[in-house]
């Protein structure tokens, strides 16, 4: 078995894993977070009683389930309810009023939202609470490449420390579990969300005519080429009049995309307007 205290990738091993992760997900692993990768692989070597990273590499190369599990293990799934106050303000005060006004003559006024890279569900549930509170007809598709995260998201049970992040005005969307250890998300707003195991490297089968896409804190791990592909895929799935949210530290400047940047009172947002 591999000695877990003496683990170090050879240069070639690191490059092989790095290349595979990039090809399959678009995520770029730098030398700086090599240690993260080493730790994940170390656990696998111990679990499967393997003697080198190369043996594990061969397994994931030929076994799709193992590959997906591995890719899941290298994703960063950090998230919070109502994470970004500027996004919430832009959504409530700018995007939703504008979309409703734009759709007022349309027969189908439902707002279709995609939470791409939804992790454990806090983002789509926050959006769901906001839209329901505003009495808007809506549906949400929430997707991720992390199967483990999606299972948590689908359950919709969260502990007290997570729930604390939810503003009081939305607390009525939570029910305390019988054993008082968890809070459950209200069934009605939960049913508005379809969770989907989806890799952003591929085109989505479920998403079309989207009015709003959230892809927040996902593309920070991508290089320009993969980022551009994903952003242009979003463009294709979106309505001709629609909005895209990306993270604070992310930008589309210098990427070849057709989105227009709009400066609102609460911060920047990207718009498709044809
Ligand atoms: C840091 S979390 C962001 C969660 C949420 N959007 C937020 O801002 O709080 C990034 C998520 O993106 C997902 N992700 C990374 N690469 C992906 C890909 N190629 N396809 C789909 N999801 C991906 C990860 O699994 C992870 O759950």
């Amino acid at each position: 078995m591999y000695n877990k205290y003496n683990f170090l990738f050879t240069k070639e091993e690191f490059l092989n894993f790095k290349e595979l992760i990039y090809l399959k997900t678009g995520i770029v692993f730098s030398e700086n977070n090599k240690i993260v990768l080493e730790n994940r692989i170390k656990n696998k070597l111990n679990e499967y009683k393997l003697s080198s990273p190369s043996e594990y590499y061969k397994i994931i190369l030929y076994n799709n389930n193992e590959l997906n599990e591995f890719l899941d293990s290298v994703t960063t799934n950090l998230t919070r309810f109502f994470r970004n106050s500027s996004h919430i303000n832009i959504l409530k005060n700018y995007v939703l009023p504008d979309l409703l006004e734009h759709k007022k003559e349309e027969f189908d006024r439902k707002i279709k939202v995609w939470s791409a890279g939804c992790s454990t569900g806090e983002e789509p549930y926050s959006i769901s609470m906001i839209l329901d509170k505003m009495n808007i007809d809506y549906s949400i598709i929430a997707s991720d490449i992390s199967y483990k995260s999606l299972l948590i998201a689908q359950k919709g049970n969260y502990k007290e420390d997570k729930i604390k992040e939810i503003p009081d005005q939305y607390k009525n969307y939570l029910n305390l579990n019988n054993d008082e250890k968890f809070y459950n998300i209200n069934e009605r707003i939960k049913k508005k969300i379809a969770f989907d195991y989806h890799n952003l490297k591929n085109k989505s089968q479920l998403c079309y005519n989207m009015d709003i896409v959230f892809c927040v804190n996902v593309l920070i791990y991508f290089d320009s080429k993969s980022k551009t592909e994903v952003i242009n895929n979003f463009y294709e799935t979106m309505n001709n009049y629609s909005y895209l949210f990306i993270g604070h530290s992310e930008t589309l400047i210098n990427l070849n995309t057709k989105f227009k940047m709009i400066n609102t009172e609460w911060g920047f947002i990207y718009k498709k307007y044809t």
Side-chain angles (χ1 to χ4, degrees), residues 94-111:
Y94 187 91
V95 167
L96 289 169
D98 187 48
L99 284 176
L100 291 176
E101 172 64 22
H102 186 77
K103 280 175 179 273
K104 73 175 185 231
E105 306 292 328
E106 287 178 20
F107 175 69
D108 182 9
R109 297 172 63 197
K110 184 184 268 187
I111 302 285

Side-chain angles (χ1 to χ4, degrees), residues 25 27 75-80 83 117 119 123 144-146 198-200 216-218 222:
T25 66
I27 298 171
T75 56
T76 306
N77 311 112
L78 190 80
T79 185
R80 289 203 316 268
R83 185 173 190 180
S119 187
E123 179 179 278
D144 205 284
I145 199 180
S146 166
H198 173 250
N199 184 345
L200 290 170
V216 182
N217 302 319
V218 178
F222 287 44

Side-chain angles (χ1 to χ4, degrees), residues 76-93:
T76 306
N77 311 112
L78 190 80
T79 185
R80 289 203 316 268
F81 282 103
F82 291 82
R83 185 173 190 180
N84 190 320
S85 59
S86 125
H87 280 174
I88 291 159
N89 279 324
I90 299 173
L91 178 69
K92 279 165 64 173
N93 302 320

Side-chain angles (χ1 to χ4, degrees), residues 10 55 126 151:
T10 64
E55 278 184 53
S126 304
L151 284 180

Side-chain angles (χ1 to χ4, degrees), residues 210-228:
M210 306 313 292
D211 296 299
I212 307 173
V213 174
F214 280 83
C215 185
V216 182
N217 302 319
V218 178
L219 300 177
I220 21 173
Y221 309 104
F222 287 44
D223 69 350
S224 296
K225 183 173 173 283
S226 313
K227 215 187 284 190
T228 309

